[in-house]
Amino acid sequence: MTHTTTRTPFRRAAQRRRVRRSLAAATAVVLTALAATPAVAASEPRPVQQSAARGALLGVTPVADLSRAEVAAFLKGAGIDPATVRHGVRGYRITYRTLTPQGAPTTATGLLVLPKGGERRLDLVADTHGTMVHRDYAPSVAEDFGLYAPYLHASAGRAVAAPDYLGLGKGPGLHPYMDTASSVSASLDMLRASRTAAGALGRPLTGDVYGTGFSQGGQVAMALGRELARGADRHFRLRALAPVAGPYDLQGAEIPALLDGRVNDISGVFYMSYFLTAQNRLHPVYGDPAEAFRQPYAGYVEQLFDTRHTEEDIVTRLPGSVKELLTDGFYERLRHPDGGLLAALKAQDGTCDWKPGVPVRLHSAAGDTDVAIANSVHCAADLARHGVKAPVIDHGKTDHNGSFKEAGPQIVRWFDALARR
């Protein structure tokens, strides 16, 4: 998950314009560089293969070319320590085949970032993002928060595959928010497409994968790690997991925190309305919006999450607390979930209930009022029951987004240390 201030209602227009100009100029440079690479599309989006297989690469579009100094300035401007920046980066939006939650063929997009320089063969960081409502917030089309982690890790010398997930970026349809299964399948297929694209760009991947992700993406990172550890794709070997502030336990940690005030009201309303409307397309959570939401919100809450509204739009149309958002009956259902609501919650929980054969570190913050630190504590307990010791690294009084800004550079250094072993 990601607090509504991740994009912040307070985004700076001047900064947006500067980033847009930089990316536009960078794209022209990369397009020229790719003109001699026939296996990869250099326009939006030319097909590069017609395979119907999951993870088949359909197109590559250059979106960024930044020097080392530009990456460092970009991260520093966001309050992220740029000390690990060693290279400039090139970014590509890739389009690939994947599946809907129902198992039907579809397409998705994501951001592949490669370092300029360093080793020719690259280890890969799988970076899964947090809650995003507008499709243009996703990494492959982002201007700010969606780029921080990919640039941070790529500038340290690794390739980064950052999936947009379904229904975000340039992918069709609505985003099935907090549907762990489809987020994992889209992320796994993103790794496959990234392997093809990186090879065509002359930077083949070693097969070693370092998993990380923030907020919603922290939960996805744990679930994706489990699939890789189970041998979901023979080309990839999981090396480490370092998720940040993931909602690993909705039933036992996040929902109780939302009900007792540990999750702030604005974020609680935003997350709950997004979760319920998205999950109702997958599980019978409610038959009519008025069963769950009070009026007037029941009349339009589903339309707010059409991937075209911003967080700012949404929070101004919703009430100030979950108690005001939900009907009395549905509010009580949160305390004692049943039926489709219980099924929706159970489908997302349990992502830490397995035995990783690689090092795991769980980053969180006691001051986080979006995703309670209890989620990470419970995740560590699940792992401990399987004999895995995963430290919970508490970043203290910092807020939700601050936990990522503190954790990100530490994770890069940890991945560096593991790579040298």
Side-chain angles (χ1 to χ4, degrees), residues 60-219:
V60 176
T61 303
V63 293
D65 185 352
L66 280 71
S67 69
R68 176 181 177 181
E70 288 172 323
V71 175
F74 180 68
L75 295 173
K76 185 176 181 180
I80 300 170
D81 180 5
T84 60
V85 175
R86 296 187 282 272
H87 307 281
V89 300
R90 290 191 176 98
Y92 307 88
R93 180 187 308 121
I94 65 175
T95 305
Y96 61 96
R97 296 192 187 279
T98 189
L99 301 175
T100 69
Q102 295 77 25
T106 189
T107 62
T109 55
L111 179 68
L112 171 65
V113 188
L114 303 176
K116 295 164 67 174
E119 300 292 331
R120 177 174 176 270
R121 297 180 72 244
L122 300 170
D123 292 348
L124 180 66
V125 173
D127 176 65
T128 44
H129 69 71
T131 302
M132 296 176 176
V133 289
H134 196 291
R135 58 177 51 250
D136 289 348
Y137 289 172
S140 79
V141 288
E143 296 175 353
D144 42 39
F145 201 88
L147 299 176
Y148 296 155
Y151 284 7
L152 183 67
H153 287 281
S155 66
R158 281 174 277 274
V160 179
D164 294 336
Y165 306 148
L166 299 180
L168 297 174
K170 299 294 185 179
L174 299 177
H175 174 50
Y177 177 56
M178 289 295 292
D179 179 47
T180 306
S182 64
S183 294
V184 168
S185 62
S187 298
L188 179 59
D189 292 339
M190 173 71 184
L191 300 189
R192 292 165 170 150
S194 295
R195 177 175 175 270
T196 303
L201 290 162
R203 305 299 297 276
L205 303 181
T206 65
D208 286 350
V209 177
Y210 296 79
T212 188
F214 172 57
S215 197
Q216 176 194 2
Q219 180 215 44

Side-chain angles (χ1 to χ4, degrees), residues 285-296:
V285 175
Y286 55 79
D288 184 280
E291 295 175 17
F293 302 98
R294 295 181 185 272
Q295 296 293 356

